[in-house]
Amino acid sequence: MNYEKGDKPLIIPENCPPVDYLIIGFTPMDAGIIAVCGVIGAAIGIAIYVKNGNSILGVAVVFLFIVASVTILRRDRNTENLIDKLRIIREYKKIQKIYMYEYVNIWETERKKRDAADRKKAHS
């Protein structure tokens, strides 16, 4: 479909809470949490550097903390991050019912009933 400028259909997302993004996919609170994780990672990285004298290991720890927090807190088009998705899965598993069942082939059951009735007639 070729649309002229301003003729595109208006898409309104449904079931998505309104979110103000600081950067696409990250709210100001998410960015603050990432910064705190970066500071914690830096503190642990510095402690590792002081103890071992290995700067690469210290930088790797800082990088690991930042990348993990970005991965966990990045929001998708439904404004859900990994924590929200895990919460949804947990609620879904909680409400699911587990039923024990046994498969019965109805055709074999009917044949067994018929054979039992035929044997009963033959004995009487």
Side-chain angles (χ1 to χ4, degrees):
M1 293 182 190
N2 294 329
Y3 293 108
E4 297 295 325
K5 185 175 181 179
D7 290 341
K8 292 183 182 177
L10 177 63
I11 298 173
I12 301 173
E14 296 180 19
N15 299 327
C16 296
V19 176
D20 293 327
Y21 288 122
L22 183 64
I23 303 170
I24 294 182
F26 299 100
T27 62
M29 183 176 169
D30 296 337
I33 293 171
I34 291 170
V36 168
C37 288
V39 169
I40 292 170
I44 293 172
I46 289 170
I48 289 174
Y49 172 70
V50 168
K51 182 169 177 135
N52 295 338
N54 189 351
S55 62
I56 293 177
L57 188 59
V59 171
V61 168
V62 174
F63 186 71
L64 178 71
F65 268 77
I66 293 173
V67 168
S69 63
V70 167
T71 302
I72 291 170
L73 296 173
R74 173 89 164 81
R75 294 181 185 272
D76 63 359
R77 65 178 176 216
N78 297 322
T79 67
E80 296 171 350
N81 56 23
L82 187 63
I83 297 168
D84 295 334
K85 290 179 182 182
L86 291 174
R87 189 178 307 130
I88 290 168
I89 290 171
R90 184 172 156 255
E91 291 296 321
Y92 177 78
K93 288 185 77 109
K94 192 186 302 183
I95 62 173
Q96 289 299 306
K97 305 288 186 239
I98 298 174
Y99 296 102
M100 298 301 293
Y101 66 94
E102 181 180 338
Y103 176 76
V104 177
N105 188 344
I106 60 170
W107 302 111
E108 288 180 6
T109 306
E110 291 295 324
R111 190 177 324 134
K112 286 179 183 177
K113 286 180 185 178
R114 196 171 45 241
D115 291 343
D118 290 341
R119 275 187 263 129
K120 193 173 186 181
K121 282 183 185 178
H123 289 296
S124 49

